[in-house]
Amino acid sequence: MTTPYVPRPTVDPEAITAHLHAAQTRLTPTHIWTAIADIPVLLAELDRLASLLSRARWDFADLLAATRATLDADKDGEADPLAYLRDQVAEHKPWAPDASLGR
């Protein structure tokens, strides 16, 4: 079951595996070229997943920094230590599928 917050894969792994298996066992030009044609699709998916991972890592780093600042502010006795976390959460935009990253 997928949720709107989890990006769906843009490739069909079973089809790619079948293409590779057919190319390995039948060795006809059609089967070989079909398997080779999967390479750009796989590279595009790899690039898309790398972009999503980068976004997740930046979001995590920002939230972790705000959490640390909040904890330090609380330890230092600041009047509103949660302000750092509130500011970061307010800036955080919910994830929405980006047309350039596929769906």
Side-chain angles (χ1 to χ4, degrees), residues 1-11 45 48-49 52 95 97 101-103:
M1 179 173 153
T2 60
T3 67
Y5 303 106
V6 178
R8 290 182 282 181
T10 60
V11 297
E45 178 68 355
R48 184 183 79 93
L49 293 173
L52 290 171
W95 184 85
L101 297 178
R103 193 165 148 92

Side-chain angles (χ1 to χ4, degrees), residues 51-64 88:
S51 295
L52 290 171
L53 177 61
S54 178
R55 161 81 193 264
R57 292 180 76 178
W58 276 110
D59 286 350
F60 175 78
D62 289 345
L63 291 170
L64 182 61
Q88 185 57 45

Side-chain angles (χ1 to χ4, degrees), residues 15-32:
I16 292 171
T17 301
H19 296 162
L20 180 61
H21 180 63
Q24 291 172 329
T25 57
R26 297 191 186 119
L27 294 175
T28 65
T30 301
H31 289 106
I32 292 170

Side-chain angles (χ1 to χ4, degrees), residues 27-46:
L27 294 175
T28 65
T30 301
H31 289 106
I32 292 170
W33 282 110
T34 301
I36 290 172
D38 288 333
I39 294 172
V41 175
L42 290 169
L43 291 174
E45 178 68 355
L46 186 63

